[in-house]
Amino acid sequence: MTLSTRCLNCRKRFEVERNQEIAECPHCGSKWRISWVDADQPKVQGPA
Amino acid sequence: MVLKRKVAFVDLTKEKAVVEEIPVELRKMHLGGRGLNWYYLYNNIPPDADPLGEENILAVGSGLLSGFPALGAGRAQISAKSPITGGVGDSNMGGAFAPQLKYAGFDHIIVKGRAKRPVYILVKDGEIEIRGAEHLWGMDTHETQKAIREEIEDDRAESMVIGRAGENRVVFANVMNGIKNSGGRSGLGAVMGSKNLKAIAASGSIDVEVHDPENLLRYALEVDERARSTKWAKTLGRLGTPLLYDVSYTTGFIGTMNWQYNTPGEDGSPLEAENLEKFGVKMVACIGCSVHCRHRVKIREGKNAGLTTEGPEYAAAGAFGTGVGIYDWEFVIKGNAECNRWGVDIISMGTTVAWAFELFQRGYITEKDTFGLKLEWGNEEAVLELARMIVEREGIGNILAEGFRKAAEHFGEETLYYANQTKNHPNLLTDERGIPSFALGIATSTRGADHLRSRPGIDLFQLPEDVLESIYGHKIVSDFTAYETKGIMVWWHELLYNIVDSLGICKFQTVFNSANSPKFEDYIPLIKYATGIELTKQQLMEIGERNYTIERLFNVMNGFSRKDDYPPERYFREETKRGLPFMKGRKLDRERYERMLDEYYRQHGWDENGVPKEETLTRLGIERPRMNFPEIERAVDVRKR
């Protein structure tokens, strides 16, 4: 199952590894802190 | 047809009431809730009526589907001429009041006049009673609800009540049910206070007849499952509306220190939604809702240890957070709890207090005016004390309690520039400068600045244009910083949100922040199975358009026009200073805004001044106001105590 969230900078979706806490958007290079709504749903919490 | 429901017209001056059956034809024109409220008010409030006078009329409506198992359909609509704007005053309240009103035998209560003494109205099993409320006057909103339940010996009774703010006619006083469900906007608590009406309590066990119960339940579960499985609903059920804070402060569209900045930046990270979870007890819901978006919280240590309450919502994170330069959930929880007990709109309170703080910063208000209170950013004590003074109308609070325009007569007309409002109605702590569709929405909203009348939250996602066309039925520009086609987008959401409010469904169960949430066509089977009324999507949209145009006409009759359809002047003059790169240095372009407004009027069939054209009124079947409040002299006396 591919897990993804939306980048707040470029608004494109990008993939995130399960339980990953910091992620970089491959489209625009923005770095985000990631929180998990549940085991399958990541979201951007704020800038890293 | 199962729709044999009642409307009660209550005259508090005469202490009499008339009960009528709501004609099915009216349902087909307006549905219920907000739509039917405004049918009654448009036809009965004279244009020159004083919002706090006897002639103003308060309408309380249960949504057409409230009380049915349907997408969180437990909502009530409260409407009157607003003491803030002098036009449409309208607010939607969750909780459990609307279904109880229905089970008590009434879908709508229409109240005119002014009681000679404090009273409350009790509707129970088809009966109406006006009871003395002298002993309730002075109580906060929680004490009042408890006292009413004890007095009528009925634990199932639900009340919509006012607190001290409503009694004192603070123009942004609200109406409350439960711990935090509020008919928050438009100052309707002040309207109740002006009528000496402390509460309306409802209780009953009258069955609500269903046209096709088996199919209603089947379809309701199906559509509920779809709504609940969206990413939006899942996140909402975990973090509540504070989830929006993470997006807005990171991107840069949350008003900070009275919109001098568009985000607190890193300073604001303590208010991230995830940081509220340490106060969490559990998530709770309004009646009939499976999302559970409301926090129940407890402060477990420190100076506020032991405080247990519900909320706060995203709005409170602005009002008692970024707006006044405070980044502490504990303080936001405290401020939120106080406002709910006082019965005052948190959004309006926060925006008014933030305005006062900037006027203090700029020297328009001094310590002499505040009796020594230092209105300095981040001063928690000053924020809460000023809020209390507003509610109790003490000192400078008495000036601020009258709203921006009247207060500016005291502080200087130029101070209105710093007030974030449209139509004199305080805005939510969102900064719409970089998002033209949001700016148009707060400017054209019939109740004045507000995010729940038309905000196209999904505009921020920049969805592919073929997806947008499939939703809106028009070509829509994907770029959320664009102006073109956004007038059509706002028009579509105005119609949708009107339908949702008229059905009694929650805004979070429609296309607001998720493109996958239910929309017009998904409500058609619910209406059919619940009531037997069969509508096409086109007919449903036309009802939304009719209802919205009636609200617009009410405003036009009260002197509103194009001049009132602009966002705060600050948005045209001052650029944003912070946020993500694309959000920095943004302000509204005046010429492009004018063209967007023109497009919006054209889409509605209104003229260049924002007045509905005759051909539009004919198409929608809207007639001139009838002023047809029932002959109350012929009515039977209500039971009195």
Side-chain angles (χ1 to χ4, degrees), chain B residues 25-137:
Chain B
E25 285 313 306
L26 271 187
R27 296 293 198 178
K28 291 178 178 173
M29 294 283 279
H30 307 284
L31 300 177
R34 176 175 162 190
L36 211 46
N37 272 5
W38 279 100
Y39 166 79
Y40 290 122
L41 297 184
Y42 169 73
N43 279 301
N44 287 293
I45 299 178
D48 55 352
D50 175 358
L52 298 180
E54 276 192 61
E55 283 186 310
N56 197 6
I57 297 173
L58 181 80
V60 179
S62 177
L64 181 68
L65 299 179
S66 294
F68 290 104
L71 290 172
R75 303 191 72 87
Q77 197 81 17
I78 306 152
S79 318
K81 186 173 183 178
S82 167
I84 307 175
T85 70
V88 164
D90 197 51
S91 210
N92 185 267
M93 183 175 75
F97 178 79
Q100 273 305 323
L101 182 63
K102 200 159 276 190
Y103 306 148
F106 301 94
D107 271 29
H108 288 259
I109 307 281
I110 314 294
V111 184
K112 71 181 289 190
R114 174 185 287 147
K116 296 175 187 69
R117 55 181 181 140
V119 297
Y120 73 95
I121 297 171
L122 172 64
V123 291
K124 186 166 185 174
D125 290 323
E127 299 286 323
I128 303 169
E129 195 173 330
I130 296 176
R131 290 183 166 220
E134 290 93 339
H135 59 300
L136 303 176
W137 210 254

Side-chain angles (χ1 to χ4, degrees), chain B residues 2-228:
Chain B
V2 297
L3 274 172
K4 292 175 183 166
R5 307 234 184 94
K6 304 285 197 299
V7 50
F9 297 89
V10 181
D11 188 326
L12 288 175
T13 306
K14 296 177 179 173
E15 297 198 336
K16 289 176 184 289
V18 177
V19 176
E20 294 180 354
E21 192 168 296
I22 300 168
V24 173
E25 285 313 306
L26 271 187
R27 296 293 198 178
K28 291 178 178 173
M29 294 283 279
H30 307 284
L31 300 177
R34 176 175 162 190
L36 211 46
N37 272 5
W38 279 100
Y39 166 79
Y40 290 122
L41 297 184
Y42 169 73
N43 279 301
N44 287 293
I45 299 178
D48 55 352
D50 175 358
L52 298 180
E54 276 192 61
E55 283 186 310
N56 197 6
I57 297 173
L58 181 80
V60 179
S62 177
L64 181 68
L65 299 179
S66 294
F68 290 104
L71 290 172
R75 303 191 72 87
Q77 197 81 17
I78 306 152
S79 318
K81 186 173 183 178
S82 167
I84 307 175
T85 70
V88 164
D90 197 51
S91 210
N92 185 267
M93 183 175 75
F97 178 79
Q100 273 305 323
L101 182 63
K102 200 159 276 190
Y103 306 148
F106 301 94
D107 271 29
H108 288 259
I109 307 281
I110 314 294
V111 184
K112 71 181 289 190
R114 174 185 287 147
K116 296 175 187 69
R117 55 181 181 140
V119 297
Y120 73 95
I121 297 171
L122 172 64
V123 291
K124 186 166 185 174
D125 290 323
E127 299 286 323
I128 303 169
E129 195 173 330
I130 296 176
R131 290 183 166 220
E134 290 93 339
H135 59 300
L136 303 176
W137 210 254
M139 284 186 184
D140 71 33
T141 62
H142 297 173
E143 293 166 342
T144 304
Q145 293 175 76
K146 184 168 179 282
I148 289 174
R149 279 186 170 177
E150 286 172 359
E151 184 171 303
I152 64 175
E153 298 177 342
D154 185 347
D155 281 346
R156 291 178 62 241
E158 294 288 344
S159 304
M160 45 168 274
V161 307
I162 60 169
R164 289 289 295 154
E167 292 173 6
N168 290 332
R169 303 178 197 184
V170 174
V171 295
F172 42 85
N174 71 9
V175 179
M176 296 285 301
N177 168 249
I179 295 173
K180 76 159 280 291
N181 310 295
S182 62
R185 311 244 59 202
S186 298
L188 301 168
V191 174
M192 282 181 65
S194 75
K195 294 184 176 306
N196 278 327
L197 180 60
K198 181 70 176 173
I200 300 177
S203 177
S205 52
I206 294 176
D207 282 342
V208 178
E209 207 177 338
V210 181
H211 173 70
D212 184 346
E214 199 173 305
N215 272 318
L216 176 64
L217 193 57
R218 176 192 57 75
Y219 181 75
L221 290 171
E222 177 190 316
V223 74
D224 180 78
E225 169 64 23
R226 189 147 53 87
R228 200 157 31 97

Side-chain angles (χ1 to χ4, degrees), chain A residues 4 6 8-11 13 32-33 35-38 41 43-47, chain B residues 231 234-235 238-239 246-247 249-251 272 274 460-462 480 580-582:
Chain A
S4 70
R6 192 179 294 278
L8 295 186
N9 186 43
C10 68
R11 308 276 146 175
R13 299 198 74 84
W32 304 112
R33 279 179 290 125
S35 70
W36 292 81
V37 175
D38 57 35
Q41 192 175 321
K43 71 171 272 295
V44 169
Q45 179 172 346
Chain B
K231 287 186 169 65
K234 282 183 183 174
T235 313
R238 170 74 184 271
L239 297 172
D246 293 2
V247 180
Y249 107 97
T250 303
T251 308
E272 287 169 358
E274 288 80 355
L460 292 175
F461 300 158
Q462 306 205 138
F480 73 79
L580 294 174
F582 66 85

